[in-house]
Amino acid sequence: MSAAKLNVINACWSTRSGDPILKPLSLSLNAGRVMGVVGANGAGKSTFLRLLYRYLKPSQGSIEIDGRDIWSLSPRLVAQNVAAVLQEQPTDFALTVREIVELGRTPYRSILSTKNENDSTIVDSALRKLELSEFAGRRFGTLSGGERQRAMVARALAQEPSLLILDEPTNHLDIRHQLEIIELIRDLDMTIVTSLHDLNMAAGVCDEILLLKQGAVLAFGPPQTVLTNQSVSYAFNVSAQSEKLMPTDRLHFTYTLMGRT
Ligand SMILES: Nc1ncnc2c1ncn2[C@@H]1O[C@H](COP(=O)(O)OP(=O)(O)OP(=O)(O)O)[C@@H](O)[C@H]1O
């Protein structure tokens, strides 16, 4: 497993009826970097992520992983390189947590082969990282929302991708598990693209931020450059105030509705 370089080249997406949902967008993310995608509801975050994990094909432009257009690769090769943890959970409620995590190994198996020792080691390690070992035998449907979320992250890790896409990964998680997921994200040897609603968390965990508004890029770059009072106020239609927290100099935003104090 190694991290991949991501190139988005003039990619855009429109509905069949021609509504432009995501306007042409270009960016480069170096291997191993963590990019946060932020913006108000409906700004185009999920649409952008869907282009990256090849659920949607760009109407124009392309997405490259290590210089290869993802639409030129076989689905199996894409699945060996890109894993996504989405907000919609699968409906395989009858599977055990271990079976769910084992699904992450599917792209590495041929039709006739069964799981091997290496698969088991990787699955065990993913379960341990997400503190799910004791849940391994439990049916997925009996888990809490946060436990399910962690199981889906474990499945993505078992897939050993070079690009990991996370849609609101801390949704459903309590404070400690939020911190654990964030720490895990920072430690993984993968390139990571994650949508986040919490700008303070995004500023703390991400190397780069993509700020979207109405399907267009407002800014892309390091958090300190992208997340200004002005850009955040404009993107979210609020009055945003930031301060730098000591001793780390981390950005911390507070918000009020426009015209109110
Ligand atoms: N297939 C589609 N057909 C029509 N409109 C769509 C389609 N997919 C997305 N949209 C619209 O495009 C806009 C962007 O949607 P998207 O889900 O990417 O936003 P988002 O930033 O992820 O929002 P949220 O924060 O609410 O999850 C929304 O207005 C949505 O209704």
Side-chain angles (χ1 to χ4, degrees):
M1 175 173 45
S2 61
K5 179 173 170 119
L6 172 69
N7 275 318
V8 178
I9 305 159
N10 231 4
C12 61
W13 189 78
S14 303
T15 61
R16 265 189 215 155
S17 56
D19 281 343
I21 302 293
L22 198 65
K23 316 229 165 73
L25 184 169
S26 293
L27 59 84
S28 260
L29 188 66
N30 279 333
R33 305 284 280 177
V34 179
M35 172 165 95
V37 185
V38 302
N41 289 143
K45 302 179 294 294
S46 299
T47 306
F48 176 63
L49 298 186
R50 285 181 192 128
L51 293 179
L52 302 187
Y53 59 81
R54 216 178 83 152
Y55 179 79
L56 291 177
K57 188 170 189 175
S59 308
Q60 278 169 29
S62 57
I63 312 290
E64 290 183 359
I65 294 175
D66 283 337
R68 291 184 297 179
D69 185 331
I70 54 172
W71 284 91
S72 72
L73 304 175
S74 68
R76 177 190 281 260
L77 206 52
V78 172
Q80 288 176 2
N81 279 281
V82 186
V85 179
L86 308 177
Q87 292 201 40
E88 312 87 55
Q89 309 280 5
T91 47
D92 303 324
F93 292 118
L95 295 184
T96 65
V97 171
R98 189 180 185 84
E99 285 165 338
I100 291 274
V101 178
E102 276 169 359
L103 289 174
R105 301 305 299 158
T106 314
Y108 297 93
R109 288 188 197 141
S110 63
I111 294 169
L112 295 176
S113 76
T114 50
K115 63 185 176 210
N116 59 35
E117 215 169 281
N118 185 41
D119 289 334
S120 296
T121 310
I122 291 166
V123 168
D124 283 340
S125 158
L127 286 168
R128 252 195 327 274
K129 274 192 180 142
L130 275 300
E131 291 190 348
L132 285 168
S133 303
E134 63 179 287
F135 294 91
R138 281 266 298 276
R139 304 242 168 256
F140 186 72
T142 68
L143 301 184
S144 74
E147 289 157 359
R148 281 183 201 175
Q149 184 95 338
R150 279 153 52 208
M152 299 319 293
V153 175
R155 182 177 81 163
L157 295 193
Q159 211 173 318
E160 297 195 309
S162 50
L163 174 64
L164 177 62
I165 313 292
L166 301 162
D167 196 359
E168 279 294 322
T170 54
N171 228 356
H172 297 298
L173 298 184
D174 63 33
I175 305 161
R176 192 173 78 89
H177 286 110
Q178 283 189 22
L179 294 174
E180 279 180 0
I181 287 280
I182 293 302
E183 204 174 297
L184 186 69
I185 286 175
R186 291 256 36 135
D187 284 354
L188 290 171
D189 177 26
M190 297 170 188
T191 306
I192 296 178
V193 179
T194 178
S195 66
L196 287 167
H197 275 297
D198 183 337
L199 299 185
N200 294 323
M201 192 177 282
V205 73
C206 300
D207 302 306
E208 315 279 351
I209 300 279
L210 174 67
L211 175 60
L212 296 173
K213 184 178 171 86
Q214 293 170 350
V217 178
L218 270 189
F220 173 67
Q224 305 270 0
T225 319
V226 169
L227 299 176
T228 62
N229 290 349
Q230 199 185 9
S231 68
V232 171
S233 299
Y234 177 62
F236 293 88
N237 201 19
V238 293
S239 177
Q241 294 290 332
S242 63
E243 56 183 323
K244 282 188 180 167
L245 295 183
M246 297 296 282
T248 52
D249 255 6
R250 264 173 67 166
L251 276 178
H252 183 82
F253 280 94
T254 50
Y255 319 95
T256 49
L257 288 171
M258 291 282 192
R260 315 233 180 124
T261 50

